[in-house]
Amino acid sequence: MSPLPRDRVEQMLSLLQEDVGRGTGRHPVTFTTGDAARLAEALGPGSGAGPGTMPPTAFCPDPLVVADRLGLPRHRPLPHLLDGGTTWEWLAPIPLEEEVGLEASIVGVEAKRGAAHGVMFLTTVEVTCTDASGGVLARSRGVSVSYRGGRA
Amino acid sequence: MSTPDAPRVAPEVGGGPPPLEVVLGPADVERWAEATGDETGFHLDRDAAARQGFEGLVVHGTHVAALLAGMLLSWLGPGAAMASLSCRYRAPALAGDRLECSAVVTSVDGAPGGRLVEFDLSVTGPGGAVVTTGTARARLAP
């Protein structure tokens, strides 16, 4: 497969970067004890969840999936997608059985050239969890990697 | 791995929890996909995985990250809470691979509201190949 020309990469990058700052707005969500239990069960005995609490990442187990569910389209400029990494930050306890808010936005797009896949576009998505007054309880960021093909 | 009722540890730089060895099979991957909603083909369908160049079903990176968080909290004991966790997925872990999750304490700080412990994290797969690296901060109970 021939490499993407540099000017084509820059053109694609420029278009993708127009989405930086695009967001979903706040969606009300209530994490139930059932949700917490399901994730803890999927994780197994080392979930880090105690009675009545949820595993730490349960507010946003995968920011790329949560952002998609909140209505933020996932960038796919090239045929394949991978999850490049995830960050979580917890600022305050996230309550169970109380309404909180989740919103997602695109916070960055960059292009990189890798040895295995050639050009890759990396889109960083942030999901923020807020309380009823808008105070930030937690955040998560995910990096979606779009590439042309081959083994990762 | 210690239980939630285990006594608190006294983290020291260079120390850390005993490595966690885990094998996530196809059923574990499927359960995680159902619980999180990430049903991307290469996690659940061998043909889809092969088309993308993988030699087996791919374990979710977020699954491994969540295991790391659980490992740290279990070691730190009751009242500990995660402050941050950052993971980079450097290579795919495949269903059935034996994974070794490790954490090393890099600093212990007496912050207000509870001591803050920082970790370097790594997950290796067959042959010692690094599949995930990361850092974490956790707060001990005051």
Side-chain angles (χ1 to χ4, degrees):
Chain A
M1 190 180 296
S2 60
L4 280 175
R6 186 177 297 273
D7 59 344
R8 176 72 179 129
V9 172
E10 286 175 6
Q11 186 183 36
M12 292 169 76
L13 179 62
S14 177
L15 275 173
L16 293 168
Q17 285 178 330
E18 287 179 11
D19 278 346
V20 173
R22 182 174 179 182
T24 62
R26 187 177 188 273
H27 291 243
V29 175
T30 301
F31 297 114
T32 67
T33 50
D35 297 332
R38 266 189 297 281
L39 198 74
E41 187 183 344
L43 194 50
S47 70
T53 65
M54 49 188 196
T57 66
F59 78 95
C60 184
D62 185 330
L64 301 176
V65 173
V66 171
D68 185 58
R69 285 182 168 173
L70 294 173
L72 192 69
R74 187 163 176 181
H75 281 169
R76 187 194 281 265
L78 297 174
H80 295 301
L81 288 176
L82 276 179
D83 189 347
T86 317
T87 298
W88 293 268
E89 183 183 14
W90 295 270
L91 304 174
I94 299 171
L96 282 173
E97 307 293 353
E98 281 180 36
E99 188 178 291
V100 295
L102 289 179
E103 60 184 290
S105 61
I106 295 173
V107 296
V109 182
E110 60 182 323
K112 284 190 174 175
R113 199 172 287 274
H117 300 306
V119 170
M120 302 178 290
F121 291 96
L122 283 66
T123 300
T124 303
V125 166
E126 181 173 277
V127 174
T128 306
C129 179
T130 55
D131 62 19
S133 56
V136 176
L137 302 173
R139 293 189 191 92
S140 180
R141 286 186 171 198
V143 179
S144 175
V145 182
S146 181
Y147 65 102
R148 289 174 92 182
R151 199 188 189 299
Chain B
M1 184 183 295
S2 55
T3 68
D5 296 327
R8 291 179 190 175
V9 296
E12 293 180 355
V13 172
L20 172 68
E21 282 199 3
V22 62
V23 177
L24 299 170
D28 300 308
V29 174
E30 189 172 339
R31 217 167 11 250
W32 186 257
E34 284 174 9
T36 63
D38 183 354
E39 298 184 339
T40 305
F42 58 65
H43 296 305
L44 302 172
D45 177 347
R46 286 183 189 280
D47 292 337
R51 280 196 298 276
Q52 207 160 329
F54 301 115
E55 293 166 1
L57 299 176
V58 178
V59 171
H60 298 77
T62 53
H63 193 168
V64 175
L67 283 173
L68 287 165
M71 178 180 82
L72 298 181
L73 291 180
S74 295
W75 183 61
L76 292 170
M82 294 301 297
S84 68
L85 172 63
S86 180
C87 290
R88 278 190 68 184
Y89 310 129
R90 296 183 174 276
L94 301 181
D97 284 351
R98 180 171 296 281
L99 304 177
E100 183 173 293
C101 305
S102 304
V104 176
V105 175
T106 56
S107 78
V108 182
D109 181 22
R115 287 193 302 161
L116 197 62
V117 185
E118 296 187 346
F119 298 88
D120 274 347
L121 308 171
S122 71
V123 180
T124 55
V130 176
V131 297
T132 299
T133 56
T135 57
R137 293 180 303 138
R139 200 174 296 285
L140 294 176

